[in-house]
């Protein structure tokens, strides 16, 4: 019994093993749903895995899909670590994309300046957008959840409004002008669509690089990982991080310790906003090259909440959680193509897997209950 | 049932948490209609033992007998079925529900189709409260009643479930002196009506006042079970701590010097924007401990908050050595070497999720050498913590432990270590010993006196009149936000102070 107990406790204390167990449970429940819906779960999961891992193109696409949610997840994580709930990553993402698009096509600079300029500007715009929610909380006591949800809608309609301006909207489209090549961070993106590039790709069709180029590969993931490292450093190694986390854990103690709590909340939301907006900016610079009129919210920010939870709200956790999430979404697409499964079923299965990972408390409760049952049996045996 | 058969007997109970042995072959025997006290320091294992009895934790080994017959208590439902009820230190009540609703919760009185019979519940609770003399209004909402009343509701909850044996975990920790008196009367009444009570506490005076016998537990083992009537407080304290302890504070006469802190005609509002401190004036000198005696809610909290800069001063001035510090930020005040031991150590004194080392630099975290260019210097912070831990005897001596994992007394040591290490000119101590056991209290008092002897000013605010009278050199009585009298220690007795604290006069 002691062994079983120690095993249970060890599992609870090992976040990696724990996450793995959660994934397994999620996959099993997802399999049940597939069976009920009339699909062979082995084949379905096989297709999803193949969709992620078969060939450089799929792997690269899964990573590309993950890029925005790694950062929106990081944004939610950062706010969460400092005691704030950032529901506004969605809007901050849009503001970042909007800023990047506008400065991407209207400003002319050499790439070495244009790229950092657009990135920084997008982050700054997001900092202002997120910081506004922090200021509303600090100054007027408006809860950040309410403020950020409303700011999401404002960002959404601001995006659509600006795209429809004559000086922004590309004629005959529902999108903005494309950003200049000098602001693009996709890898060989212009070349691969040029005559020379297309010719090379035809000649080398099927080769590793030709396959890789079929994905929308860009530098976004590299920037994202660097930002994750930077945020981890800020949170854990700097006095700023110390203060922000102290406020998150215990406002009163922080205040008694001489920390300016209101200032901390504004800074925290500003940084969270900057991260999410950078994500939006990278998306435009690396993939879309434009912004479009939206009919519904795209969900990059909301997915970030799930990613943050899966990653156990640690900075590094977002990388793995984002890759998992992005991979499932991309691999799930293949399920539809190959097995004719409706996208709703795929979403339900993916949702189920995410659900079980994102609610570790449920798994914890199950483990603890089993331990209790065993321990009780032991006591009875002794008595 | 004869008196020779114990109402409750626990035999050789052992309970471990990982490597920690919380209960080590503990045996306990409680007679029928007895008030039996469990005495021990924080972390001694008293609450664990009672949680085993109540079915919250399974014991690793050992057995429980009720009226001489072995029983198996696997979960609280079994305990309740066997007539055992427990009132936890932290109440488990639904705030927006009425008293009656809380009491019947889980065993509601219902009609057909499960429709609640609220009126009958209310009447049943009213009847119950009459029978046992626990006066409550069944229809009042929990959120509107005092802490003392909430505790009565918890006791009624147990009685409603036909509890015959009541376990009270630190029942007086949250009560005012007057409420404690009432609780003691209630406990006596219950025993007269045939109930048996086990009370967990570390307050010697209450044990003497209420209990028949007392079992002392130290570090998970039973030290002894004694008749309370024939054992002195001093003996109880020594058994609890394991060494001789001083229940009185030994100190030389104070040598007060110049005025360090001068408060003039201070006005401060409370959180509801109502005046709490109303024209308070007070001087504190270097080299003295000034104690403030009061009944809770007379403005002492707001006074302290204003002094440390977390509450706005409406009018009046606070001066330190002649220069005004009114309405400065907490950081500015802190930087002028005014330190405080806050009244709620877990809420205001510590970040429980931070390590001991991190807590020990709270407030100085961005000063050299703990930080350089905004980067925390973890090594320096760790060494600093190591030194303070040794000097202030924090246990366990691990800088990397989370503050939340320490006992209350050790948490308080961390705060005192941090605050005293700033070498403050003024130390403000609010309720510095609340919830601490005898050994820790002795330590805290010693630290305050040391600070005084080094020529610093100490302002002590406490609801514990004994503490104020024992530790202070001068005593100021506060009533309705004003000082109504300042006396040298020994000049007035407890009775006179009590009169002033209640708004009376000595004439």
């Amino acid at each position: 019994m002691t062994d079983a107990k120690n095993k249970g406790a060890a599992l609870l204390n090992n976040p990696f093993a724990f996450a793995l167990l959660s994934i397994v449970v999620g996959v099993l429940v997802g399999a049940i749903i597939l069976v009920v819906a009339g699909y062979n779960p082995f084949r379905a999961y096989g297709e999803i895995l193949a969709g992620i891992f078969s060939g450089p193109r799929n792997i690269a696409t899964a990573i590309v899909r993950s890029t925005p949610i790694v950062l929106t997840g990081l944004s939610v994580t950062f706010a969460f670590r400092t005691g704030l709930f950032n529901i506004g990553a969605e809007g901050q993402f849009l503001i970042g994309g909007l800023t990047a698009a506008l400065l991407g096509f209207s400003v002319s600079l050499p790439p070495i300046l244009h790229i950092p300029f657009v990135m920084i500007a997008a982050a700054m715009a997001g900092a202002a957008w997120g910081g506004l929610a922090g200021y509303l909380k600090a100054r007027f006591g408006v809860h950040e959840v309410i403020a950020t949800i409303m700011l999401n809608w404002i960002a959404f309609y601001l995006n659509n409004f600006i795209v429809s301006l004559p000086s922004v909207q590309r004629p005959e489209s529902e999108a903005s002008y494309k950003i200049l090549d000098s602001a693009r961070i996709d890898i060989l993106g212009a070349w691969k669509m040029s005559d020379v590039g297309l010719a090379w790709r035809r000649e080398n069709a099927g080769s590793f690089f030709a396959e890789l180029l079929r994905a929308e590969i860009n530098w976004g993931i590299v920037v994202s990982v660097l930002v994750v490292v930077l945020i981890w450093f800020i949170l854990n190694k700097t006095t700023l991080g110390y203060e922000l986390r102290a406020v998150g854990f215990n406002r009163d103690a922080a205040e008694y310790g001489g920390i300016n709590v209101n200032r901390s909340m504004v800074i925290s939301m500003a940084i969270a906003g900057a991260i999410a907006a950078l994500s939006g900016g990278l998306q435009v610079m690396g993939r879309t090259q434009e912004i479009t009129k939206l009919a519904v919210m795209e969900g990059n920010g909301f997915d970030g909440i799930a990613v943050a939870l899966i990653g156990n709200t640690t900075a590094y956790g977002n990388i793995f959680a984002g890759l998992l999430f992005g991979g499932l979404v991309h691999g799930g697409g293949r399920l539809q193509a190959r097995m004719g499964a409706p996208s709703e079923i795929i979403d339900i299965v993916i949702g189920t897997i995410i659900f079980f990972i994102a609610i570790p408390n449920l798994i914890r409760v199950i483990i603890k209950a089993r331990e209790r049952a065993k321990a009780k049996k032991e006591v009875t045996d002794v008595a | 049932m004869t008196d020779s058969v114990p109402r409750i007997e626990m035999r050789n109970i052992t309970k471990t948490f990982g490597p920690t042995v919380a209960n080590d072959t503990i045996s306990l025997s409680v007679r029928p209609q007895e008030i039996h006290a469990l005495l021990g320091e924080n972390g001694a294992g008293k609450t664990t033992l009672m949680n085993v009895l109540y079915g919250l934790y399974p014991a690793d080994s050992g057995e429980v007998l009720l009226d001489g017959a072995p029983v198996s208590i696997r979960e609280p439902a079994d305990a309740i079925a066997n007539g055992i009820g427990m009132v936890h230190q932290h109440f488990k009540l639904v705030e927006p529900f009425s008293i009656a609703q809380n009491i019947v919760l889980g065993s509601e009185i219902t009609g057909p189709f499960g429709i609640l019979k609220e009126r009958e519940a209310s009447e049943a609770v009213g009847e119950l409260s009459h029978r046992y003399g626990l006066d409550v209004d069944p229809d009042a909402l929990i959120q509107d009643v005092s802490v003392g009343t909430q505790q009565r509701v918890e006791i009624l909850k147990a009685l409603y479930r036909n509890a015959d044996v009541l376990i009270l975990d630190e029942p007086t920790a949250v009560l005012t002196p007057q409420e404690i008196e009432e609780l003691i009367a209630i406990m006596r009444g219950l025993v007269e009506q045939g109930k048996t009570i086990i009370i967990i506490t570390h307050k010697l005076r209450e044990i003497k006042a209420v209990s028949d016998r007392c079992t002392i537990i130290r570090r998970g083992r039973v030290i002894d079970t004694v008749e309370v009537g024939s054992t002195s407080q001093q003996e109880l304290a020594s058994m609890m701590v394991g060494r001789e302890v001083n229940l009185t504070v030994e100190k030389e006469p104070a040598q007060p010097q110049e005025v360090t802190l001068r408060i003039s005609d201070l006005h401060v509002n409370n959180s509801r924007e109502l005046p709490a401190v109303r024209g308070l004036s007070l001087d504190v000198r270097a080299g003295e401990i000034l104690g403030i005696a009061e009944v809770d809610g007379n403005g002492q909290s707001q006074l302290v908050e204003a002094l440390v800069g977390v509450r706005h001063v409406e009018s009046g001035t606070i001066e330190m050595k002649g220069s005004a510090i009114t309405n400065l930020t907490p950081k500015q005040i802190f930087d002028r070497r005014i330190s405080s031991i806050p009244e709620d150590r877990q809420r205001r004194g510590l970040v429980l999720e931070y390590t001991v080392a991190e807590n020990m630099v709270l407030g100085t975290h961005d000063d050299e050498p703990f930080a350089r260019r905004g980067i925390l210097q973890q090594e320096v912070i760790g060494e600093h913590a190591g030194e303070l831990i040794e000097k202030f005897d924090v246990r366990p001596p691990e800088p990397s432990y989370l503050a939340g994992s320490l006992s209350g007394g050790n948490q308080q040591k961390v705060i005192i270590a941090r605050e005293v290490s700033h070498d403050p000119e003024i130390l403000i101590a609010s309720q510095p010993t609340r919830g601490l056991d005898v050994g820790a209290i002795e330590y805290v008092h010693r630290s305050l006196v040391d600070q005084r002897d080094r020529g610093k000013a100490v302002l002590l605010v406490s609801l514990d009149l004994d503490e104020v009278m024992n530790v202070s050199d001068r005593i100021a009585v506060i009533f309705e936000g004003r000082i109504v009298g300042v006396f040298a220690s020994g000049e007035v007795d407890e009775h006179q102070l009590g009169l002033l604290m209640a708004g009376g006069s000595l004439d």
Side-chain angles (χ1 to χ4, degrees):
Chain A
M1 170 235 155
T2 318
D3 275 359
K5 198 171 161 188
N6 291 345
K7 242 187 264 167
L11 196 57
L12 284 178
N13 293 332
N14 181 341
F16 187 73
F18 190 79
L20 215 60
L21 177 78
S22 305
I23 293 172
V24 169
V25 175
V27 166
L28 287 178
V29 176
I32 295 170
I33 293 170
L34 283 165
V35 170
V36 171
Y39 298 95
N40 178 344
F42 294 101
R43 211 189 131 204
Y45 283 128
E47 292 290 352
I48 290 178
L49 286 177
I52 303 170
F53 294 108
S54 65
R57 177 195 169 195
N58 281 320
I59 294 176
T61 302
I63 292 173
V64 168
R65 288 256 185 162
S66 310
T67 307
I69 54 180
V70 167
L71 282 187
T72 53
L74 184 68
S75 165
V76 175
T77 297
F78 185 84
F80 191 81
R81 283 276 141 183
T82 60
L84 297 165
F85 208 22
N86 181 20
I87 308 288
E90 188 75 33
Q92 295 146 10
F93 182 92
L94 288 175
I95 292 296
L98 181 63
T99 309
L102 293 179
L103 297 179
F105 75 74
S106 65
V107 176
S108 187
L109 285 170
I112 194 147
L113 293 177
H114 205 183
I115 289 170
F117 169 71
V118 173
M119 278 188 196
I120 290 167
M124 286 295 165
W129 202 254
L132 179 60
Y135 177 77
L136 288 172
K137 176 162 186 144
R139 181 74 179 78
F140 302 108
V142 179
H143 198 283
E144 76 276 10
V145 168
I146 306 292
T148 53
I149 287 176
M150 296 208 272
L151 283 168
N152 281 346
W153 288 105
I154 296 172
F156 178 82
Y157 287 111
L158 185 67
N159 175 80
N160 285 2
F161 170 71
I162 289 185
V163 171
S164 69
L165 292 176
S167 56
V168 176
Q169 188 167 12
R170 201 169 69 237
E172 312 291 315
S173 79
E174 288 294 297
S176 69
Y177 285 104
K178 298 232 176 211
I179 59 169
L180 302 176
D181 285 353
S182 57
R184 286 170 64 169
I185 57 163
D186 47 349
I187 297 167
L188 298 175
W191 177 81
K192 73 184 177 188
M193 299 310 285
S194 68
D195 291 341
V196 185
L198 286 170
W200 184 89
R201 287 166 68 188
R202 262 195 306 277
E203 271 168 41
N204 296 280
S207 75
F208 179 84
F209 285 109
E211 277 295 300
L212 197 61
L213 285 176
R214 287 175 68 194
E216 298 168 283
I217 51 172
N218 63 72
W219 292 107
I221 193 71
V222 178
V223 178
S224 301
V225 170
L226 290 177
V227 173
V228 167
V229 175
L230 176 71
I231 290 299
W232 173 84
F233 185 82
I234 290 176
L235 269 180
N236 295 292
K237 297 287 169 192
T238 67
T239 54
L240 177 67
Y242 177 93
E243 296 192 353
L244 296 181
R245 283 187 300 131
V247 172
F249 284 131
N250 187 340
R251 270 184 74 159
D252 292 306
E255 191 181 14
Y256 263 69
I259 295 168
N260 186 332
V261 171
N262 285 337
R263 179 173 154 268
S264 292
M265 288 193 296
V266 178
I267 292 176
S268 175
M269 282 305 290
I271 293 176
I275 300 167
L278 178 63
S279 174
L282 292 174
Q283 184 80 343
V284 168
M285 297 165 78
R287 278 186 76 192
T288 62
Q289 292 141 38
E290 61 185 16
I291 48 169
T292 53
K293 270 192 204 166
L294 298 172
V296 291
M297 298 229 191
E298 291 175 300
N300 286 305
F302 297 129
D303 289 348
I305 297 171
V307 169
L309 286 174
I310 297 168
N312 201 20
T313 61
T314 58
Y316 287 116
N318 287 293
I319 297 177
F320 303 104
L323 286 173
L324 176 75
F325 200 117
L328 282 175
V329 171
H330 173 61
R334 186 176 162 113
L335 202 57
Q336 190 173 9
R338 297 291 178 89
M339 290 177 72
S343 62
E344 286 80 4
I345 287 292
I346 301 162
D347 286 343
I348 290 172
V349 171
I350 293 173
T352 306
I353 296 172
I354 300 297
F355 178 79
F356 273 93
I357 303 164
I359 49 158
N361 280 336
L362 183 65
I363 312 268
R364 290 211 162 94
V365 167
I366 293 169
I367 293 179
K368 281 197 176 143
R370 282 189 52 192
E371 267 176 31
R372 262 178 71 94
K374 275 182 195 159
K376 261 182 224 157
K377 195 161 170 289
E378 169 90 355
V379 171
T380 327
D381 293 346
V382 169
Chain B
M1 171 194 348
T2 64
D3 273 0
S4 60
V5 180
R7 183 73 183 84
I8 288 185
E9 190 172 8
M10 300 180 83
R11 282 189 193 157
N12 300 323
I13 300 288
T14 295
K15 173 67 189 167
T16 56
F17 295 100
T20 315
V21 185
N23 289 166
D24 187 355
T25 56
I26 287 191
S27 293
L28 173 72
S29 169
V30 182
R31 294 172 188 153
Q33 281 184 268
E34 178 183 34
I35 299 181
H36 194 108
L38 281 183
L39 175 67
E41 293 194 283
N42 289 320
K46 327 177 280 279
T47 301
T48 303
L49 185 69
M50 287 302 104
N51 282 342
V52 167
L53 179 59
Y54 193 59
L56 285 169
Y57 301 147
D60 297 347
S61 62
E63 59 179 337
V64 176
L65 293 85
L66 288 185
D67 299 324
V71 288
S72 160
I73 297 174
R74 303 175 187 195
E75 51 188 53
D78 299 336
I80 292 166
N82 280 302
I84 300 172
M86 184 158 178
V87 175
H88 296 273
Q89 186 175 2
H90 302 286
F91 303 150
K92 298 170 192 305
L93 297 170
V94 186
E95 296 256 320
F97 276 20
S98 75
I99 287 178
Q101 282 170 332
N102 266 285
I103 289 173
V104 301
L105 190 68
S107 36
E108 296 89 351
I109 305 171
T110 54
F113 309 112
I115 294 164
L116 285 175
K117 293 191 166 179
E118 298 255 7
R119 211 188 52 214
E120 278 157 50
S122 170
E123 280 165 9
V125 168
E127 194 272 326
L128 195 70
S129 115
H130 266 291
R131 191 180 345 144
Y132 292 106
L134 284 103
D135 193 24
V136 295
D137 170 8
D139 300 320
L141 302 186
I142 292 294
Q143 63 200 19
D144 299 333
V145 302
S146 70
V147 173
T149 304
Q150 292 183 12
Q151 186 170 54
R152 276 183 236 163
V153 174
E154 285 283 5
I155 295 173
L156 282 169
K157 243 164 81 180
L159 293 174
Y160 183 78
R161 285 157 184 76
N162 297 316
D164 194 44
V165 176
L166 279 171
I167 305 165
L168 306 179
D169 187 0
E170 302 275 5
T172 60
V174 288
L175 301 185
T176 64
Q178 197 204 358
E179 286 171 329
I180 293 174
E181 295 292 319
E182 288 171 16
L183 176 68
I184 288 175
I186 288 169
M187 287 166 67
R188 293 230 170 86
L190 288 170
V191 168
E192 268 168 34
Q193 300 203 38
K195 308 291 182 191
T196 304
I197 296 175
I198 303 175
I199 168 175
I200 303 177
T201 185
H202 54 242
K203 294 193 181 165
L204 304 169
R205 197 144 79 139
E206 285 153 20
I207 290 178
K208 290 292 282 183
V210 74
S211 62
D212 303 309
R213 290 194 306 155
C214 173
T215 296
I216 299 107
I217 298 176
R218 189 167 77 225
R219 292 186 190 171
R221 287 169 174 273
V222 170
I223 300 304
D224 202 358
T225 297
V226 297
E227 296 288 335
V228 170
S230 56
T231 316
S232 73
Q233 284 194 33
Q234 187 68 49
E235 287 169 311
L236 288 173
S238 301
M239 279 191 277
M240 169 166 81
V241 183
R243 60 180 166 85
E244 288 296 311
V245 286
N246 281 321
L247 292 179
T248 54
V249 182
E250 283 177 25
K251 57 181 169 100
E252 303 292 310
Q255 295 177 339
Q257 297 150 29
E258 78 287 355
V259 172
T260 308
L261 178 69
R262 169 162 286 166
I263 305 166
S264 316
D265 194 27
L266 196 71
H267 289 261
V268 183
N269 290 347
N270 64 18
S271 301
R272 286 183 291 172
E273 292 301 323
L274 299 171
V277 177
R278 305 180 238 199
L280 183 144
S281 299
L282 189 65
D283 286 349
V284 187
R285 293 173 179 276
E288 73 166 353
I289 298 176
L290 182 96
I292 291 186
E294 61 129 23
V295 175
D296 200 6
N298 275 283
Q300 134 273 0
S301 302
Q302 288 77 14
L303 169 65
V304 170
E305 286 167 4
L307 289 177
V308 300
V310 299
R311 190 174 282 281
H312 185 73
V313 173
E314 300 299 320
S315 66
T317 55
I318 306 168
E319 286 169 59
M320 178 187 180
K321 294 185 170 174
S323 66
I325 57 166
T326 323
N327 282 332
L328 294 186
T329 66
K331 178 74 178 157
Q332 288 167 325
I333 290 173
F334 182 85
D335 286 344
R336 284 165 202 234
R337 308 240 304 274
I338 299 180
S339 285
S340 76
I341 301 169
E343 65 177 22
D344 186 337
R345 61 181 155 270
Q346 301 203 338
R347 199 161 77 95
R348 291 184 162 161
L350 295 169
V351 178
L352 296 178
E353 294 85 351
Y354 272 5
T355 63
V356 169
E358 286 173 321
N359 270 292
M360 278 175 165
V361 293
L362 187 62
T364 45
H365 55 271
D366 53 358
D367 298 341
E368 297 232 5
F370 304 129
R372 290 225 170 86
R373 282 182 235 100
I375 311 290
L376 292 173
Q377 304 297 311
Q378 311 278 12
E379 261 182 44
V380 183
I381 292 172
E383 283 166 19
H384 170 75
E387 284 165 23
L388 290 183
I389 281 171
E390 200 183 321
K391 195 167 154 199
F392 289 83
D393 189 29
V394 178
R395 290 180 211 178
E398 293 290 343
S400 62
Y401 272 33
L402 295 186
S405 67
L406 301 186
S407 70
N410 282 297
Q411 289 179 349
Q412 195 72 329
K413 281 185 187 171
V414 171
I415 295 173
I416 291 173
R418 178 181 73 207
E419 299 303 330
V420 171
S421 71
H422 300 149
D423 191 23
E425 289 299 320
I426 302 171
L427 180 65
I428 302 166
S430 303
Q431 317 274 17
T433 60
R434 184 162 73 173
L436 300 189
D437 47 53
V438 176
I441 288 172
E442 188 188 9
Y443 183 88
V444 171
H445 288 166
R446 191 71 250 155
S447 304
L448 296 183
V449 173
D450 284 348
Q451 194 65 15
R452 179 203 76 168
D453 291 346
R454 291 170 54 215
K456 312 298 180 183
V458 178
L459 179 66
L460 168 69
V461 181
S462 178
L463 294 174
D464 185 344
L465 202 50
D466 287 344
E467 175 168 83
V468 171
M469 292 177 64
N470 257 327
V471 180
S472 313
D473 302 310
R474 287 195 301 148
I475 299 170
V477 182
I478 191 173
F479 177 70
E480 292 189 339
R482 287 186 203 93
I483 300 292
V484 292
V486 181
F487 307 94
S489 184
E491 195 181 345
V492 279
D493 62 21
E494 191 171 351
H495 176 73
Q496 290 168 309
L497 285 176
L499 211 59
L500 285 168
M501 284 157 62
S505 75
L506 295 184
D507 304 328

